[in-house]
Amino acid sequence: MTYVPMTARSRDEGHRTATTLELFFDLCFVVAIAQAGQRLVHALAEGHPGSGLVGYFFVFFGVWWAWMNFTWFASAYDCDDVPYRIATLVQIAGVLVYAAGVSRAFDGNDWTVAVVGYLIMRVALTAQWLRAAAGESGPARTAALKYAAGLLLCQAGWVGLLFAPDDWKRWLFLVLLVAELAVPLVAERGHQTPWHAHHIVERYGLFTIIVLGETIAASTVAVKSALDEHEALGELLPIAAGGLLIVFAAWWIYFAVPMHERLSSNREAIPWGYGHLVIFGSGAAIGAGIEVAVEHAVGKAHISQVAANAAVTVPAAVFLLMVWLLHSRHFKRGLAQQLVLPLAAVAILACTWAGSYAVLYAGLVAAGTVAVGMALSVRSAPATA
């Protein structure tokens, strides 16, 4: 369609699924995620976990928030005409510019390129909200205008960040982070935009797959490079096997429950949506941790065995805990089912002190978690005639 008026989509629309444009948009974030992961690997392998994790959080927040802004707007107002597609193209260009600035922001606290990329994305998204406001009236129009105003104010703050002294930037970043998170809370007060629960859950699931897929890709490259340079198959095979089990179990556990059944209003959706910052970030960090474990196995990482193991076990445990908190606990019956994921997270953390087989043991714990969860689910299922 060349042009159609942008009006709100129905929250009860049947057969609502992700579009090919949304899938393409998601894939463009792989570059930024990979860049953030590589910088985290370097920081952890060099023995700088504090600065590495702080830098990773700041950079990954930008990736996640840009994706969040697009996803929730599209769920409510995607009209898929030519202007909408062009605006999405502009946002994709901004994502790629942001990705190009990740290493500068991470290593040198230089946010110039990243902020330029954000500015490109925000111009397009602000235009989308103004277009939505033009097609709405009453509280819906007010909400759309609040979103547009909030985007402009926050972006002005990011531009101002570039002129702040270097030692102030990360503190100001936290202030702007809070301001960004507050925009939807303010804009949706009095009117909830018509996002589609099933569509939103599918979109989050697809991005989870992309994050876990990037973890697999990064781990494969790391293992291949180590084999090419060192031929250390005996040291690398347990890491590769354990990493694969962890990622596969993470996928299985995340998609085990029909989360769209719980998202009926912003009261449930906003904490769930915001909490995915930790799910996405920890999921991507598992891949970075596997790379660190590989580098340690071939003598390239300047850290202890325990630190190398923790690079895998800590994000894996955090992933399981957050999936339990946001997803699984709402569908579990009885204490036994509720304790499976928290106890599994503790067990995976305990694997940190298991020496060179820590990743393999953590993978076996993750696989066992899936098996136990399935057995308890089947046992508690109501009998059918």
Side-chain angles (χ1 to χ4, degrees), residues 7-380:
T7 56
R9 299 187 62 154
S10 171
R11 290 178 57 89
D12 301 318
E13 182 180 341
H15 308 290
R16 179 74 188 275
T17 60
T19 67
T20 54
L21 180 59
E22 288 176 317
L23 297 176
F24 183 68
F25 183 84
D26 289 358
L27 286 174
C28 294
F29 279 85
V30 171
V31 180
I33 294 172
Q35 288 288 318
Q38 282 298 315
R39 306 322 300 167
L40 179 60
V41 169
H42 179 74
L44 294 179
E46 292 299 319
H48 306 298
S51 60
L53 290 172
V54 170
Y56 179 73
F57 171 75
F58 285 159
V59 167
F60 201 90
F61 175 84
V63 172
W64 166 75
W65 191 243
W67 180 86
M68 277 268 295
N69 277 244
F70 170 83
T71 297
W72 288 82
F73 177 86
S75 189
Y77 288 105
D78 181 0
C79 60
D80 198 32
D81 61 359
V82 170
Y84 180 88
R85 292 186 176 192
I86 292 174
T88 303
L89 171 63
V90 174
Q91 291 180 75
I92 288 173
V95 171
L96 298 179
V97 173
Y98 180 88
V102 163
S103 59
R104 290 171 178 261
F106 199 111
D107 297 332
N109 202 25
D110 179 1
W111 290 87
T112 304
V113 177
V115 169
V116 169
Y118 237 67
L119 180 61
I120 295 170
M121 287 186 276
R122 288 309 179 82
V123 167
L125 186 60
T126 302
Q128 293 279 60
W129 276 113
L130 291 174
R131 186 182 173 195
E136 294 281 23
S137 60
R141 175 182 170 83
T142 301
L145 290 174
K146 285 180 180 178
Y147 266 111
L151 288 170
L152 289 174
L153 287 173
C154 288
Q155 190 56 49
W158 290 116
V159 173
L161 180 72
L162 300 180
F163 301 96
D166 285 346
D167 55 346
W168 287 17
K169 284 184 179 178
R170 290 190 169 175
W171 295 107
L172 292 175
F173 190 105
L174 293 175
V175 174
L176 290 169
L177 182 152
V178 173
E180 291 278 9
L181 295 177
V183 171
L185 302 180
V186 174
E188 304 250 346
R189 187 174 299 167
H191 175 78
Q192 178 177 297
T193 53
W195 47 266
H196 191 284
H198 194 282
H199 175 250
I200 284 292
V201 170
E202 181 189 18
R203 296 289 292 113
Y204 272 74
L206 291 169
F207 201 74
T208 300
I209 290 175
I210 285 177
V211 166
L212 295 178
E214 169 57 27
T215 289
I216 291 290
S219 304
T220 302
V221 171
V223 171
K224 179 184 180 300
S225 298
L227 283 174
D228 290 344
E229 295 178 17
H230 302 277
E231 300 182 354
L233 182 61
E235 292 81 2
L236 298 178
L237 190 57
I239 298 173
L244 180 59
L245 287 174
I246 290 171
V247 175
F248 190 75
W251 164 81
W252 191 310
I253 292 167
Y254 181 91
F255 289 98
V257 296
M259 195 57 205
H260 63 276
E261 296 177 1
R262 290 205 75 255
L263 300 187
S264 58
S265 69
N266 284 347
R267 183 174 183 177
E268 300 87 22
I270 289 179
W272 179 84
Y274 283 9
H276 269 75
L277 169 61
V278 182
I279 288 181
F280 293 155
S282 59
I286 292 171
I290 293 172
E291 290 190 64
V292 172
V294 168
E295 292 199 6
H296 181 272
V298 297
K300 294 175 64 176
H302 305 107
I303 53 176
S304 68
Q305 180 72 66
V306 171
N309 295 343
V312 180
T313 58
V314 171
V318 170
F319 184 94
L320 292 185
L321 280 175
M322 285 304 297
V323 170
W324 172 78
L325 182 65
L326 296 179
H327 282 211
S328 303
R329 67 186 178 90
H330 302 294
F331 297 88
K332 299 298 184 182
R333 302 172 183 171
L335 182 62
Q337 286 193 16
Q338 287 289 1
L339 289 177
V340 170
L341 289 182
L343 290 179
V346 172
I348 286 176
L349 282 177
C351 292
T352 303
W353 290 271
S356 59
Y357 285 89
V359 178
L360 177 59
Y361 292 157
L364 292 173
V365 170
T369 302
V370 172
V372 171
M374 289 292 293
L376 290 174
S377 178
V378 169
R379 195 173 74 175
S380 66

